[in-house]
Amino acid sequence: MTNKNLIDLESMSVEQVDKLVRKARKIMQSPADFRHACDGKILATLFYEPSTRTQMSFQTAMLKLGGRTIGFDNPMNSSVAKGENLKDTISVISGYADIIAIRHPVEGTAMAASMYSEVPLINCGDGGHLHPTQTLTDIVTLSCEKGRLDNLKIGVCGDLLNGRTVHSLIKALAKYENNSFVLISTEELSVPIYIIDILEKNHCHYEISHSLADAIKDLDMLYMTRIQRERFKSAEDYEAQKNVFVLDKEKLALAREDMIILHPLPRVNEITVDIDDDPRALYFKQAQYGMFGRMALILLLLQDEDFMLSERETFISEHRCSNPKCITQPESYLPNRAYEKLGMQMCDFCDKRIDK
Ligand code: CP
């Protein structure tokens, strides 16, 4: 099955990602050629959770393509404050807009929203689950700055447990030839086991490290992430983790001259500001690449009839997903939609195993 909703980057083939990168590069080269590409089209940005880059880069992307935007960045200023459910909000807005970009703090919301949308819908982050357009941003950056997406030694550092950007990035880059990964985190914030499963399934070499100084020496790219305070159970748990990995001048001196530093941002204090002027520090440029990547995505979803994304086969399970962070908990009308993986039932919204 195919559709036009970007929920998980898994639904895009390597060829489609490459097509998007080519389109983004074409827009960068001749932006004037695309100034009226979306005349008359409307993008709705529904941000139930704070954002600077994702929200504004999507809005800027649509404006630069000649389209217009509607939406909210605080659901309490919408009828969500009166108790409107996700289904009704999406059903109504998909009658107003040509394309929807949604961010929500609850896992699986984008998938749930896509069930009720008549127009293409893009996941801009659903809790600690996925953030596919950040990964497209990272891939466009890598392609432009390193000239390749394969044969890379990639270090990812920080909150590898809660960092949805890291999960999406590893999943995407694992599909390219000969990429290897160094997973740099504390024991408590190491990547979920399903990410290790993906690395192994793709025969990717990976190492686990608890020392940024050791790991940095031979990397092509270092991907720093912040410790996600909002996803911790207590302030004490966060305090114990917050300054464990900090990239400063001393550690950067150990890195190669051609290593690039990316960060999805926002930064808290995991990269010291005196590094910002180092030519290897590309995180602000990366945010700009993201806007071009999102222009390309909007164009492909709205205008390229061949750009259809794959959809996995699902069924209705007898059992409800028990993940307390899953959208099926607050939005109780949602079906028990599941898919099968390695003989297990997985929730189609949050990708967690359904306990029978
Ligand atoms: N990288 C990213 O998602 O940033 P925002 O939260 O500011 O959108």
Side-chain angles (χ1 to χ4, degrees), residues 193-204 206:
I193 196 72
Y194 86 93
I195 294 291
I196 300 288
D197 289 345
I198 288 168
L199 289 172
E200 291 183 349
K201 196 177 119 206
N202 286 282
H203 308 291
C204 292
Y206 69 91

Side-chain angles (χ1 to χ4, degrees), residues 70-85:
I70 57 169
F72 56 75
D73 57 12
N74 179 354
M76 288 303 113
N77 292 335
S78 77
S79 285
V80 174
K82 301 175 206 160
E84 184 165 72
N85 67 21

Side-chain angles (χ1 to χ4, degrees), residues 47 49-57 103 124 131 134 164-165 223 226 263-266 294:
F47 276 64
E49 197 183 49
S51 165
T52 298
R53 278 145 292 273
T54 314
Q55 181 188 205
M56 291 193 201
S57 65
R103 171 175 287 187
C124 293
H131 190 354
Q134 179 61 48
R164 58 194 174 194
T165 61
Y223 195 88
R226 81 186 161 92
H263 190 312
L265 304 177
R294 289 175 176 119

Side-chain angles (χ1 to χ4, degrees), residues 146-166:
K146 293 301 279 183
R148 65 184 196 277
L149 297 171
D150 52 16
N151 291 291
L152 293 165
K153 186 165 183 179
I154 299 146
V156 289
C157 178
D159 189 344
L160 306 190
L161 177 66
N162 299 302
R164 58 194 174 194
T165 61
V166 172

Side-chain angles (χ1 to χ4, degrees), residues 75-310:
M76 288 303 113
N77 292 335
S78 77
S79 285
V80 174
K82 301 175 206 160
E84 184 165 72
N85 67 21
L86 182 76
K87 176 180 189 290
D88 293 359
T89 302
I90 299 298
S91 301
V92 169
I93 292 170
S94 84
Y96 298 158
D98 299 286
I99 185 164
I100 295 174
I102 183 170
R103 171 175 287 187
H104 199 284
V106 180
E107 295 179 12
T109 299
M111 178 63 90
S114 72
M115 290 169 62
Y116 306 108
S117 179
E118 298 294 326
V119 298
L121 184 140
I122 302 167
N123 184 5
C124 293
D126 57 335
H129 185 217
L130 298 167
H131 190 354
T133 66
Q134 179 61 48
T135 304
L136 292 174
T137 295
D138 304 337
I139 284 178
V140 171
T141 307
L142 265 175
S143 167
C144 292
E145 295 291 335
K146 293 301 279 183
R148 65 184 196 277
L149 297 171
D150 52 16
N151 291 291
L152 293 165
K153 186 165 183 179
I154 299 146
V156 289
C157 178
D159 189 344
L160 306 190
L161 177 66
N162 299 302
R164 58 194 174 194
T165 61
V166 172
H167 304 164
S168 293
L169 182 67
I170 294 175
K171 281 165 76 174
L173 290 179
K175 291 182 185 165
Y176 289 83
E177 283 291 303
N178 204 30
N179 283 334
S180 63
F181 297 85
V182 188
L183 312 172
I184 312 155
S185 73
T186 60
E187 203 74 66
E188 292 83 358
L189 297 184
S190 52
V191 288
I193 196 72
Y194 86 93
I195 294 291
I196 300 288
D197 289 345
I198 288 168
L199 289 172
E200 291 183 349
K201 196 177 119 206
N202 286 282
H203 308 291
C204 292
H205 177 77
Y206 69 91
E207 299 161 39
I208 292 171
S209 172
H210 302 304
S211 163
L212 179 54
D214 287 345
I216 202 170
K217 290 172 185 152
D218 192 30
L219 300 176
D220 293 298
M221 170 177 84
L222 174 61
Y223 195 88
M224 292 296 294
T225 62
R226 81 186 161 92
I227 307 300
Q228 306 226 332
R229 185 176 52 188
E230 67 276 27
R231 315 226 188 264
F232 279 75
K233 286 202 183 90
S234 72
E236 294 74 42
D237 288 352
Y238 170 69
E239 290 296 319
Q241 298 287 338
K242 76 173 185 191
N243 286 328
V244 177
F245 297 104
V246 177
L247 179 63
D248 54 19
K249 281 202 159 178
E250 205 179 319
K251 288 192 201 81
L252 187 55
L254 304 168
R256 293 198 334 237
E257 283 304 312
D258 65 345
M259 184 193 81
I260 62 170
I261 309 162
L262 302 193
H263 190 312
L265 304 177
R267 158 178 59 185
V268 182
N269 52 2
E270 57 283 346
I271 301 179
T272 57
V273 290
D274 56 2
I275 282 177
D276 295 353
D277 295 329
D278 190 291
R280 291 169 284 187
L282 295 183
Y283 25 91
F284 298 123
K285 205 169 173 189
Q286 178 187 357
Q288 204 179 7
Y289 282 127
M291 180 191 69
F292 291 111
R294 289 175 176 119
M295 288 172 81
L297 180 64
I298 290 171
L299 283 176
L300 290 171
L301 291 177
L302 285 183
Q303 296 184 352
D304 187 334
E305 283 180 12
D306 297 333
F307 195 79
M308 298 297 288
L309 304 177
S310 67

Side-chain angles (χ1 to χ4, degrees), residues 317-331:
S317 170
E318 286 173 29
H319 308 277
R320 193 83 178 152
C321 177
S322 59
N323 173 14
K325 295 178 179 172
C326 179
I327 190 65
T328 53
Q329 303 287 337
E331 306 278 337

